[in-house]
Amino acid sequence: MSESKTIVVASTNEGKIREFRQMLEPRGYTVKSLADLSDMPEIEENGTTFAENAVIKAEAVTSRYGIMAVSDDSGLEIDAFNKEPGVHSARWLGHDTPYSEKNRIILEKMKGIENRTCRYVCAIAITRPDEEPVVFEDTVECTIAYEPSGENGFGYDPIIFYPPYGKTMADMDKDEKNGISHRGKAVRAMEEWLKNHA
């Protein structure tokens, strides 16, 4: 894993890793994940912001293996829920609760609520040996749909409606989604940085 074009994504989330591969492999990067590092201990995400958690995860890989790592911490902020689930998006209602159930509960809680604004937030951290972490952060403004729709994407995507396209994130194809998503925008900022630093 010493090749300069290898990036380790500090995640085991298959949907997230797939999106990184879709965006970075066409540009010549080999994307590996925590699943490829068999002796990596579990990383405790105890930051209070997306940026803090992203740095914690990437730093854990860099400090253990002495290689460049990238980590994304992302989640959903629902304004009517005081920006919850926020940094707890993956753990909200329990790690083992399927997203279909999480989405059903959100829609149930949103019944009768007029303010359906929400956003996806993504912070991407790059860490390298003996260097300060670099963080790229971006958002995409959306609303909570009234019912799930779509088979693409992952997580909360079936209930996240993007008004300019008139469809949920899960109804978009990968190019549509990567073009406007919080992760897509943060990855493009990261790519610009990588051109000059990696």
Side-chain angles (χ1 to χ4, degrees):
M1 283 189 291
S2 60
E3 317 99 280
S4 62
K5 298 283 275 187
T6 294
I7 295 181
V8 175
V9 179
S11 176
T12 55
N13 181 312
E14 290 181 7
K16 190 178 290 188
I17 294 159
R18 183 173 62 249
E19 289 191 353
F20 268 107
R21 286 198 169 116
Q22 288 169 351
M23 288 183 274
L24 290 174
E25 286 184 346
R27 292 163 173 79
Y29 289 96
T30 299
V31 177
K32 295 184 179 290
S33 73
L34 291 183
D36 299 308
L37 308 176
S38 57
D39 59 340
M40 184 70 200
E42 188 168 344
I43 303 166
E44 185 182 359
E45 299 172 43
N46 52 12
T48 58
T49 66
F50 293 109
E52 285 178 9
N53 278 334
V55 169
I56 287 168
K57 289 184 283 189
E59 281 280 25
V61 173
T62 293
S63 63
R64 186 174 179 88
Y65 298 100
I67 52 177
M68 182 169 77
V70 58
S71 175
D72 146 310
D73 196 59
S74 52
L76 174 65
E77 294 182 342
I78 301 173
D79 290 326
F81 296 175
N82 196 28
K83 296 192 175 179
E84 287 292 319
V87 293
H88 306 294
S89 291
R91 304 184 291 279
W92 189 64
L93 301 177
H95 248 308
D96 296 329
T97 303
Y99 276 97
S100 57
E101 179 67 5
K102 294 181 183 185
N103 291 340
R104 186 192 68 75
I105 289 171
I106 288 174
L107 294 182
E108 187 72 28
K109 285 173 167 276
M110 288 296 293
K111 279 185 178 172
I113 295 178
E114 287 188 23
N115 177 14
R116 303 184 78 85
T117 57
C118 64
R119 71 205 47 79
Y120 270 140
V121 182
C122 175
I124 294 177
I126 290 183
T127 53
R128 297 163 294 161
D130 306 316
E131 300 278 354
E132 285 294 308
V134 183
V135 178
F136 311 91
E137 194 161 1
D138 221 313
T139 63
V140 58
E141 295 292 326
C142 300
T143 61
I144 300 294
Y146 288 91
E147 59 185 17
S149 180
E151 300 295 328
N152 302 326
F154 63 98
Y156 298 104
D157 285 354
I159 64 166
I160 305 303
F161 186 81
Y162 184 62
Y165 285 4
K167 59 175 80 171
T168 69
M169 290 286 190
D171 276 321
M172 297 181 194
D173 64 37
K174 65 177 173 32
D175 292 332
E176 285 179 313
K177 183 181 177 185
N178 291 342
I180 57 91
S181 77
H182 53 313
R183 186 169 298 110
K185 290 190 278 190
V187 164
R188 284 189 288 281
M190 179 186 76
E191 287 172 341
E192 282 302 309
W193 182 88
L194 284 172
K195 286 177 188 175
N196 300 312
H197 296 87

